């Protein structure tokens, strides 16, 4: 009996939620003005402000940079490269031959009786 009461309570709760959401939607539609009815307050016209003319700037000519000669790099005498050690030769046994496997013949595709693919027509 308790599960029946619980089920009835949940159904009633669901129906009340649906009713509340419908009511809220209707209220929202009535209070929100549509796009055509929007009333925007008129903004006062802003006064035009005239800026003073931008002053001309006279820069002095660029000074020429002195030519700088870099000292030459000293010669570096490196020791000779050491020779790489040789690796010993490794003799691995030959790979065994894989046995040949004979597969059974490929089965033919089963056909549907009375069905055939149409042959494409030659394009003019």
């Amino acid at each position: 009996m308790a599960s029946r009461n619980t089920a009835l309570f949940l159904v009633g709760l669901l129906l009340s939620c649906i009713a509340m959401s419908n009511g809220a939607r209707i209220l929202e539609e009535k209070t929100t003005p549509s796009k055509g009815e929007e009333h925007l307050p008129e903004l006062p016209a802003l006064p035009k402000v005239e800026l003073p003319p931008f002053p001309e700037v006279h820069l002095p000519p660029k000074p020429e940079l002195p030519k700088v000669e870099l000292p030459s790099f000293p010669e570096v005498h490196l020791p000779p490269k050491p020779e790489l050690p040789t690796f010993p030769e490794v003799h691995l046994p030959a790979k065994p031959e894989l046995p040949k496997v004979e597969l059974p013949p490929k089965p033919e595709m089963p056909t549907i009786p009375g069905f055939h693919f149409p042959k494409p027509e030659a394009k003019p």
Side-chain angles (χ1 to χ4, degrees):
M1 191 68 182
S3 63
R4 184 175 178 193
N5 289 340
T6 306
L8 286 174
F9 172 74
L10 290 176
V11 168
L13 187 64
L14 178 68
L15 291 174
S16 67
C17 288
I18 292 171
M20 289 297 285
S21 68
N22 283 342
R25 188 181 321 113
I26 291 170
L27 244 174
E28 189 178 40
E29 287 174 357
K30 285 184 179 178
T31 57
T32 306
S34 64
K35 290 184 180 178
E37 300 173 3
E38 284 186 26
H39 176 69
L40 297 176
E42 292 184 22
L43 298 175
L46 296 174
K48 290 190 176 182
V49 178
E50 290 189 22
L51 297 174
F54 193 75
E56 289 187 27
V57 179
H58 296 289
L59 297 174
K62 292 183 182 178
E64 287 192 26
L65 297 175
K67 290 187 178 180
V68 178
E69 289 188 19
L70 296 174
S72 61
F73 287 108
E75 287 188 26
V76 179
H77 297 290
L78 296 174
K81 292 182 181 177
E83 291 202 18
L84 294 175
T86 57
F87 291 101
E89 289 187 25
V90 179
H91 296 288
L92 297 175
K95 290 184 182 178
E97 290 285 329
L98 293 176
K100 278 200 165 185
V101 178
E102 298 235 357
L103 297 175
K106 184 177 174 181
E108 291 185 19
M109 289 291 292
T111 58
I112 301 172
F115 177 80
H116 64 281
F117 286 103
K119 294 185 179 179
E121 298 175 8
K123 292 184 180 178

